[in-house]
Amino acid sequence: MFIPNRILSIDMGSHSYKIIEALRKPTLRILRFGVYPKEQFVKVVSPVNEMKHLGFRTKNAILSYNHPSLMIREMTLPYQDKYQDETLVHLSVQDNIQQYESYFKEELDYDYSIGLQEEGTEYYHATTVTVLKNINRMFIEQAMALGLKPVSVYLQVYAINKLLGKVGMSDYLLVDFGYENTTVAIVSSEHVPLLKVLPIGCKTLQQENCKPEELLDQLLSTCHQQIGYSINEAGLMHLKHGILYGGGAYIPELKSFLREQVQLEWHTLQELHSLMPAIPNIIDLNLYGNCIGSFLSEDRKQE
């Protein structure tokens, strides 16, 4: 099932929904957009009518979200006689995912990609993305309660990679500092070798008992772990760039802390807007980056 031309892209945050309606072809044309408190849809009598009242006219939607249960894992599968049938390679990946389910004692929804065995190599490379099934279903059901027809679910870090790929950005440390969760990921030009979602965010900073130094230490430790992994395990060159976006991009102390403690060339996503002339200046990429990136996904349905 191909993604329709007129479609909504919805970043389903824990605090607010960022929504853009656009025509994808022949070039991306944004029709309307907005940031809406999640409660605006939860507490109204008819969420379906609320969407119409706000001016959105299509039911087809691409969903993107983040959650601490999201995991990205990379696998190498030896190229042996029994793996020459590609069907067996897929079964091997699925068997590994089932082992995750047994370990966590939870059902998972998942997607994966397999790099074809190249001449001269002795293995296949696979990347898997998993999330708790009940969490994935919850977001889909929330969208359906709005009267929408979800046609694709997109992991936010991949959406941003699509967006930054348009300006030639590759091999960077990504920090999405949201309301309840913060994603820290190493992103290369072709894949995401490592991702971790921390249960901290702007909401944590607003709590009376919050100790900002402990929160920042946790964030810093994760950044250093990711960078170390990228060099020692993923085989990437030393990273040069750091990208900060989400609501946390507007916390001056957070921006200063990262620039001082993590020795990379840091940019907020909005600071790169001038490199993307096709996107209207009124669109704040720190807030709408996930929505825009989701429009750039492959023209196929994602399970």
Side-chain angles (χ1 to χ4, degrees), residues 232-249:
N232 299 320
E233 300 294 335
L236 299 180
M237 299 295 288
H238 287 277
L239 301 179
K240 293 177 59 178
H241 299 283
I243 304 296
L244 171 66
Y245 77 111

Side-chain angles (χ1 to χ4, degrees), residues 177 202 205 244-256 268-271 273 281-288:
F177 199 93
C202 298
L205 289 172
L244 171 66
Y245 77 111
Y250 294 105
I251 302 175
E253 295 81 2
L254 177 61
K255 291 169 62 178
S256 299
T268 66
L269 201 54
Q270 179 64 7
E271 290 170 353
H273 199 303
N281 290 331
I282 197 172
I283 298 293
D284 185 339
L285 293 181
N286 286 335
L287 301 180
Y288 291 100

Side-chain angles (χ1 to χ4, degrees), residues 12-26:
M12 305 183 74
S14 55
H15 182 254
S16 64
Y17 289 172
K18 277 72 74 176
I19 307 176
I20 295 179
E21 183 174 0
L23 296 175
R24 297 176 63 241
K25 299 177 180 179

Side-chain angles (χ1 to χ4, degrees), residues 41 50 74 77 85 142 163 182 211 251 262 296:
F41 302 105
E50 183 69 12
E74 300 209 335
L77 304 172
D85 182 348
Q142 286 176 358
L163 181 61
T182 294
K211 297 180 179 179
I251 302 175
V262 184
L296 305 176

Side-chain angles (χ1 to χ4, degrees), residues 1-66:
M1 177 179 176
F2 289 105
I3 298 176
N5 189 33
R6 187 186 183 104
I7 197 165
L8 294 174
S9 179
I10 305 183
D11 176 356
M12 305 183 74
S14 55
H15 182 254
S16 64
Y17 289 172
K18 277 72 74 176
I19 307 176
I20 295 179
E21 183 174 0
L23 296 175
R24 297 176 63 241
K25 299 177 180 179
T27 58
L28 184 65
R29 182 159 68 93
I30 294 174
L31 304 176
R32 56 190 54 82
F33 61 94
V35 178
Y36 307 99
K38 184 177 178 179
E39 291 184 354
Q40 182 170 344
F41 302 105
V42 174
K43 293 186 176 182
V44 296
V45 176
S46 177
V48 177
N49 291 336
E50 183 69 12
M51 289 291 292
K52 292 181 179 179
H53 175 73
L54 292 172
F56 297 106
R57 294 292 178 256
T58 182
K59 294 183 177 181
N60 296 310
I62 304 172
L63 312 181
S64 63
Y65 66 86
N66 244 343

